[in-house]
Amino acid sequence: MRRRHLLSMLPALGLLAGFGSSAFAQGGELNLYSSRHYDTDRELYDAFTRETGIRVRLIEGDADQLIQRIRTEGANSPADVLITVDAARLARAKEAGILQPIRSQVLESRIPANLRDAEGFWFGVSKRARVIMYDRQAGRPEGLNRFEDLADPRFRGQICVRSASHPYNTSLTGSVLAANGPEATEAWARGLAANMARPPQGGDRDQFRAIPSGQCKLAISNTYYLGNMMTSARAEDRALAERIGVIFPNQGEGDRGAHVNISGAGVVRTAPNAAAAQRFIEYLTSPRAQEIFAVGNMEYPVVADAPVHPVLAGFGAFREDQLNAGTYGANAAEALRIMQRAGWR
């Protein structure tokens, strides 16, 4: 769904010319295949063109369809950069052999190791936390501090969550799998499925929307959906969002931290404009580009010193899981099999 959020808050985009690991010629073009569908991203692309003279030709589509398209196009593919949400899809693109590794001092210094591929095939450019949401009017549920707690029978009939097959959930379960192993993960998934208030359905917003109506008391959702509702032009959306509280799971001493997922980008293996492609991904980590991700779409920046939107900051500070995104992405297929066996459909 296209959204325009708070672009008026952004200052004029006067990015420093030459941001990147090496000098590139000005001008040219870049063919971008993207599964992100946000109008704020177009401001990113326009700013990149203003800085470099490189025109961005955008092709949008579903991530899996874009991956298959690049494979089908083969050596004749015009694609230079693939950008998509979710580490599982990035892992799928790497496994499909459509990305090439790059070395960049800019990317390696600015993007934490857990948010980029160890071999340089893809790099996270923004992130969103997957959290537990609850009704603030009812108060925070006692004894709910970890994702693992969602399997406790005391929460029977209370949980709303989208389908197991969605990459947000396969990645989440892939992180639980990495932490706890297959047997414990299947037991957890079985307990969580038993605690569902209804069969999985809809998107992340639909889960926490069902809390005030009484359909469920708890929801699993990404933070940026709630953040966008809090700044909605619709008063009823803002009122609903104000009622929803956020629990960042697994924050106890010695625990692994909250699960985060990423949007990421990689240079296509057959990119006809590989130098421009690398420069573009480096640009996505620049201070202004990171601010656009944060202000425009309620995402957390991947660069440590970039600003966080005040709405997200209002949810509270949290410690994130340092598991490399590639690990839970690679675990996605096994995670889905576990969830389906456990009754999470």
Side-chain angles (χ1 to χ4, degrees):
M1 181 179 295
R2 297 188 181 280
R3 295 185 286 270
R4 289 182 174 87
H5 285 301
L6 305 179
L7 289 179
S8 61
M9 294 175 60
L10 295 173
L13 295 173
L15 296 176
L16 294 175
F19 182 84
S21 59
S22 57
F24 293 88
Q26 298 293 303
E29 70 175 19
L30 175 82
N31 299 298
L32 174 63
Y33 283 33
S34 175
S35 69
R36 288 174 55 94
H37 309 296
Y38 310 119
D39 283 350
T40 48
D41 285 7
R42 294 179 182 273
E43 184 61 27
L44 285 168
Y45 311 150
D46 291 344
F48 176 73
T49 298
R50 288 195 295 270
E51 177 195 349
T52 65
I54 299 171
R55 291 178 292 109
V56 177
R57 296 180 63 250
L58 176 64
I59 297 174
E60 295 180 308
D62 172 80
D64 291 330
Q65 293 173 348
L66 291 175
I67 291 169
Q68 184 56 45
R69 176 172 175 169
I70 294 171
R71 292 183 67 181
T72 301
E73 291 170 339
N76 296 319
S77 177
D80 294 306
V81 173
L82 173 70
I83 183 168
T84 185
V85 297
D86 184 72
R89 288 165 169 143
L90 292 166
R92 202 172 304 159
K94 177 182 176 181
E95 184 179 352
I98 66 168
L99 301 179
Q100 63 173 286
I102 61 173
R103 293 300 306 271
S104 165
Q105 184 178 358
V106 168
L107 297 175
E108 291 169 11
S109 65
R110 293 186 66 78
I111 302 175
N114 65 306
L115 302 178
R116 52 183 165 88
D117 180 64
E119 299 176 294
F121 281 90
W122 51 260
F123 299 85
V125 295
S126 67
K127 61 188 179 183
R128 59 279 302 268
R130 195 146 185 82
V131 299
I132 302 168
M133 298 185 183
Y134 66 96
D135 186 352
R136 294 174 63 187
Q137 290 185 8
R140 176 172 173 152
E142 293 185 8
L144 182 54
N145 301 301
R146 312 179 73 229
F147 270 121
E148 286 83 348
D149 294 334
L150 291 171
D152 193 305
R154 78 179 109 172
F155 302 119
R156 189 63 49 88
Q158 296 187 23
I159 300 171
C160 282
V161 63
R162 72 196 302 167
S163 71
S165 61
H166 194 279
Y168 292 158
N169 286 334
T170 57
S171 291
L172 168 62
T173 303
S175 71
V176 176
L177 178 61
N180 300 328
E183 291 184 7
T185 299
E186 186 157 346
W188 169 75
R190 185 172 291 108
L192 192 153
N195 288 345
M196 290 181 187
R198 63 184 186 187
Q201 58 191 261
D204 274 15
R205 286 186 189 85
D206 297 306
Q207 312 316 314
F208 61 79
R209 280 184 185 275
I211 290 177
S213 69
Q215 282 187 281
C216 55
K217 296 183 179 179
L218 303 169
I220 300 173
S221 178
N222 285 350
T223 45
Y224 86 104
Y225 291 108
L226 182 62
N228 277 309
M229 283 195 68
M230 294 189 76
T231 57
S232 170
R234 293 162 52 94
E236 56 268 36
D237 285 346
R238 297 194 303 272
L240 183 150
E242 287 289 345
R243 187 167 166 176
I244 304 300
V246 171
I247 298 172
F248 290 101
N250 301 86
Q251 296 296 294
E253 184 177 355
D255 210 341
R256 63 184 182 275
H259 174 67
V260 296
N261 210 330
I262 59 172
S263 283
V267 178
V268 175
R269 182 173 57 85
T270 55
N273 305 294
Q278 179 168 331
R279 187 178 190 187
F280 176 74
I281 298 175
E282 290 175 339
Y283 151 80
L284 293 179
T285 70
S286 68
R288 185 61 66 210
Q290 287 289 291
E291 185 176 2
I292 294 174
F293 281 124
V295 172
N297 200 42
M298 296 290 178
E299 296 175 88
Y300 290 99
V302 296
V303 176
D305 57 357
V308 174
H309 192 284
V311 167
L312 293 188
F315 296 158
F318 70 97
R319 181 166 44 84
E320 69 184 66
D321 191 345
Q322 294 300 302
L323 177 70
N324 186 275
T327 300
Y328 60 74
N331 283 351
E334 183 180 359
L336 178 58
R337 290 192 292 270
I338 287 173
M339 287 188 283
Q340 291 176 333
R341 286 199 304 267
W344 184 348
R345 301 297 182 185

